[in-house]
Amino acid sequence: MGKRGVFDKVVEFIQVAPDIHHLGLLDHDPLTQKFSDISVTDNGDMPEVF
């Protein structure tokens, strides 16, 4: 748990071309059920997330 609590994370794999994939690390908002790659939680737990 980081300094600001617990945030749900989502790992997304998308194939963009043969043998080329995009990996995205997203935050999940349980209230809206949406994913965001632009939110900044500043939770101080980057090493644990990666």
Side-chain angles (χ1 to χ4, degrees):
M1 179 185 302
K3 64 184 178 185
R4 296 187 55 223
V6 175
F7 294 90
D8 293 332
K9 301 292 184 184
V10 176
V11 177
E12 179 181 60
F13 297 95
I14 299 173
Q15 185 174 8
V16 293
D19 297 323
I20 300 174
H21 295 79
H22 171 78
L23 178 125
L25 181 61
L26 312 166
D27 286 335
H28 175 249
D29 184 337
L31 297 176
T32 64
Q33 295 299 314
K34 293 187 179 184
F35 305 110
S36 173
D37 64 350
I38 60 171
S39 62
V40 178
T41 57
D42 192 25
N43 208 22
D45 60 350
M46 186 175 55
E48 290 86 351
V49 171
F50 286 108

